């Protein structure tokens, strides 16, 4: 079940990467690269920091799922774009899952709660940041006007805090993921935005 949830999150992230490739008028190779980077980048960064073999290189499914997502977007991108609201909901679920599981794995490898929280955030948003850099966009992590990194930070901090209090197990991981998911959904629903510097007008 954990691997299945992981693959679902990877699939959703890969869809967003491939769609970015369509918007940037990239060919199928460029779409596949963005899909793979978006889906696997955060987890690879996490595992490299932890000095372990990245999970993406231990299972064929981790590489094939983004390619399947690329093929779907390549042939049916207008239809995928039309169901984007539903994809964003799944994306929020993937964000919550990735940040909580990333924090848990960092804690299991002996990182402090603070460092585990930061690595959990990197797991959740790292793939999207790589996607944006490759596509020539301002990374979401640096321009969090849709509260994407903030929910990941809150969920990761909750995961690390509960672990520090001696609470462990799948209910803790699930609660942290749900918190990040709920905050992301609320941000989209109520159009919450991170504040800009004082006196700086928001972009049109």
């Amino acid at each position: 079940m954990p691997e299945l949830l992981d693959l679902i999150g990877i699939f959703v992230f890969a869809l967003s990467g491939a769609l970015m490739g369509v918007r940037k008028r990239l060919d199928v190779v460029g779409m596949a690269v963005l899909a793979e980077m978006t889906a696997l980048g955060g987890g690879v960064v996490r595992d490299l920091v932890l000095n372990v073999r990245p999970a993406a290189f231990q299972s064929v499914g981790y590489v094939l799922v983004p390619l399947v997502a690329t093929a779907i977007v390549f042939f049916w991108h207008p239809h995928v774009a039309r169901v984007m609201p539903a994809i964003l909901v799944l994306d929020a679920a993937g964000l919550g899952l990735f940040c909580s599981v990333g924090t848990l794995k960092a804690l299991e490898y002996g990182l402090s709660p603070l460092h585990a929280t930061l690595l959990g955030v990197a797991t959740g948003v790292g793939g999207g940041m790589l996607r944006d850099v490759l596509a020539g966009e301002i990374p979401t992590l640096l321009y969090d006007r849709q509260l994407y990194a903030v929910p990941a930070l809150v969920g990761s901090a909750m995961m690390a805090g509960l672990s520090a209090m001696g609470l462990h197990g799948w209910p803790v991981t699930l609660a942290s993921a749900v918190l990040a998911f709920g905050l992301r959904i609320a941000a989209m629903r109520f159009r919450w935005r991170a504040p800009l510097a004082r006196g700086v007008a928001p972009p049109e």
Side-chain angles (χ1 to χ4, degrees):
M1 181 60 69
E3 184 174 355
L4 175 61
L5 293 174
D6 211 18
L7 291 175
I8 292 173
I10 286 173
F11 177 75
V12 174
F13 280 7
L15 286 178
S16 70
L19 283 171
M20 174 71 79
V22 173
R23 289 196 296 270
K24 292 293 182 176
R25 303 180 65 84
L26 302 182
D27 60 22
V28 66
V29 176
M31 291 171 59
V33 169
L34 288 186
E36 295 280 357
M37 288 295 180
T38 307
L40 306 177
V44 169
V45 169
R46 175 201 64 209
D47 291 342
L48 290 178
V49 171
L50 296 176
N51 198 28
V52 298
R53 183 194 300 174
F57 294 94
Q58 299 185 46
S59 173
V60 175
Y62 283 83
V63 178
L64 293 182
V65 166
L67 295 180
V68 172
T70 301
I72 292 174
V73 174
F74 181 82
F75 289 106
W76 298 290
H77 61 87
H79 305 286
V80 175
R82 277 199 292 269
V83 297
M84 198 61 195
I87 292 176
L88 288 176
V89 173
L90 294 175
D91 181 84
L95 176 70
L97 175 67
F98 278 28
C99 71
S100 59
V101 171
T103 304
L104 175 62
K105 187 169 184 178
L107 291 169
E108 290 175 345
Y109 276 82
L111 269 66
S112 69
L114 174 60
H115 291 105
T117 297
L118 296 176
L119 200 53
V121 174
T123 305
V125 306
M129 186 170 65
L130 291 174
R131 174 202 63 207
D132 294 341
V133 169
L134 289 174
E137 299 283 336
I138 299 176
T140 303
L141 187 64
L142 304 179
Y143 188 67
D144 199 10
R145 294 292 291 154
Q146 295 182 341
L147 287 194
Y148 198 83
V150 170
L153 177 62
V154 173
S156 296
M158 179 178 176
M159 182 75 219
L162 292 176
S163 179
M165 294 169 58
L167 299 175
H168 305 284
W170 68 264
V172 175
T173 305
L174 179 61
S176 302
V178 169
L179 177 61
F181 169 76
L183 184 55
R184 171 62 178 153
I185 292 297
M188 292 190 295
R189 172 65 177 82
F190 299 107
R191 302 181 65 84
W192 292 343
R193 299 291 183 264
L196 296 173
R198 182 179 178 183
V200 176
E204 297 181 358

